[in-house]
Amino acid sequence: MEEKEEVYSHSRLWLYENCPEYFKIKYLDRALPDFPVSMALFLGGVVHESLEWLYHQKRNREIKIDELIGHYSEKWASQYDESVRIPWGTPEEHFNRGIKFLVDYYVKNNPFKENTVAIEKRILFPLDSGGKYRIQGFIDRVVLNEDGIYEIHDYKTNQFMKNKEELDSDRQLGFYHIGLKEIFGNDIRVKLYWHFLSFNK
């Protein structure tokens, strides 16, 4: 009987390291009850979708800032409901935080002339010679710059800024780096970029 392939991700490994029992309930027993989505997760999702939409649209036409905010507003209105768990603040405050993230990002990066070659790029690479164990991930955006270097761009909506030690030990973009080499070859050069939207850095 053929063994089933096991696919892991940065987030799954993080969960196992921080709470093995929760990992067991969620992924092995599959007995996790339905919990309300947190506002942090909801807001991050809508902001990510809006930036993904922006770069898809920019391939064919110029996007004005009011169009980006309009898209974000429509996504928020169609997806938000009162089941979203809000530990602090009001829905309006969090909605406005998302607008600020997008406005700051737009102003800082317009006119978006980077050579974006992939959006939400899936990576998948083996951890063992037989390929039974694999790591999977999705890169927010991949750029091939004028020096022939691939750039991995990842958006963070966290309310905290990682220090250099935390960035150096964070394996998420390291996994993405390995995944790109699996696709484009081991000789490629790669740069890793985090966009901390709460801090516009």
Side-chain angles (χ1 to χ4, degrees), residues 127-192:
L127 292 172
D128 63 311
S129 59
K132 178 185 176 183
Y133 303 100
R134 295 176 179 268
I135 291 290
Q136 175 178 256
F138 293 86
I139 306 173
D140 289 340
R141 189 164 60 92
V142 180
V143 168
L144 180 58
N145 70 27
E146 58 187 10
D147 296 320
I149 300 173
Y150 286 90
E151 298 177 1
I152 291 172
H153 292 260
D154 189 71
Y155 311 120
K156 299 295 185 189
T157 54
N158 313 54
Q159 285 187 274
F160 60 88
M161 182 82 179
K162 293 189 178 186
N163 59 38
K164 186 178 186 304
E165 182 179 349
E166 290 170 324
L167 291 173
D168 288 342
S169 63
D170 191 304
R171 67 178 163 228
Q172 182 182 11
L173 299 200
F175 281 166
Y176 293 169
H177 185 169
I178 296 171
L180 277 193
K181 285 190 170 187
E182 189 77 9
I183 297 169
F184 297 113
N186 286 325
D187 295 333
I188 65 170
R189 293 178 294 164
V190 179
K191 287 185 177 181
L192 312 177

Side-chain angles (χ1 to χ4, degrees), residues 10-24:
H10 165 71
S11 59
R12 282 197 180 197
L13 294 177
W14 180 90
L15 181 60
Y16 177 77
E17 290 167 341
N18 285 273
C19 188
E21 185 62 28
Y22 190 90
F23 179 94
K24 177 179 181 295

Side-chain angles (χ1 to χ4, degrees), residues 48 52 56 118-122 137-142 155:
H48 272 75
E52 181 181 348
H56 277 301
I119 300 165
E120 283 296 308
K121 179 67 175 178
R122 180 176 183 252
F138 293 86
I139 306 173
D140 289 340
R141 189 164 60 92
V142 180
Y155 311 120

Side-chain angles (χ1 to χ4, degrees), residues 26-42:
K26 182 174 182 177
Y27 292 113
L28 301 182
D29 300 339
R30 300 188 184 279
L32 192 69
D34 289 333
F35 290 123
V37 174
S38 70
M39 175 52 77
L41 188 61
F42 176 80

